[in-house]
Amino acid sequence: MNLYGKTLFSLCFILFVGLMLILDSSSTVLAVPGNEKTAVGEPVEPDMHEFMEYVFQPTYKRLKQAMASEPADRNAWKSIKADSLILAEGGNLLLLHKPEENRKAWDAHSIEVRKAGGQLYQAAKAKDFKAAQMHYQSMLKNCNACHQQFADGEHQLKP
């Protein structure tokens, strides 16, 4: 084989390998999306009373104490940030649970807990006590509305 033939063969081989790599990578992206959610959340404790007692209640009690007065230092703000984030993420956990009735209202309350808890968390990150109080009150108001609807008005929370 002369130089021209070897060069032509090498060029064709490189084009073939490149084409195969392009086709392989594009079909892989189309066939197997790499960032799609495959797992589904599942409650560990299906009893809502138990869930509330062990996830929400201790966190709420710590947050209630921390929100009683303006935080004096970084550690006090850290406590508010931690508990507000736990409660906000708890709103996501509530979405995993299945109420006996009125799923739409359940989900709306869960999303509001997540939203108000997230806003409280952001206010605490900014060390804005006035905004933190507002979002704390909003979160408790929503918790109480949910308890009114789904727990016959029991377990009303106070700031």
Side-chain angles (χ1 to χ4, degrees), residues 41-124:
E42 182 180 315
V44 172
E45 174 53 72
D47 181 86
M48 187 49 58
H49 180 76
E50 295 285 314
F51 178 74
M52 288 287 180
E53 186 174 352
Y54 297 116
V55 174
F56 281 90
Q57 189 179 57
T59 310
Y60 157 70
K61 286 181 175 182
R62 286 190 310 266
L63 187 58
K64 179 180 179 179
Q65 186 176 6
M67 291 295 296
S69 61
E70 187 162 357
D73 58 24
R74 195 170 164 225
N75 283 335
W77 279 112
K78 187 175 182 177
S79 174
I80 293 172
K81 286 189 291 187
D83 288 333
S84 61
L85 182 59
I86 290 168
L87 292 173
E89 292 293 356
N92 287 324
L93 294 176
L94 289 171
L95 292 168
L96 299 176
H97 288 267
K98 296 175 184 160
E100 292 176 13
E101 56 187 41
N102 205 340
R103 180 70 200 210
K104 195 174 195 174
W106 178 267
D107 287 353
H109 286 301
S110 301
I111 290 166
E112 284 302 312
V113 166
R114 179 183 67 200
K115 180 180 169 187
Q119 290 169 329
L120 172 55
Y121 172 70
Q122 292 301 325

Side-chain angles (χ1 to χ4, degrees), residues 129-147:
F129 190 61
K130 185 176 180 182
Q133 285 179 310
M134 181 181 72
H135 296 305
Y136 175 63
Q137 297 282 343
S138 175
M139 184 177 64
L140 294 185
K141 182 179 176 185
N142 187 73
C143 291
N144 287 335
C146 187
H147 295 168

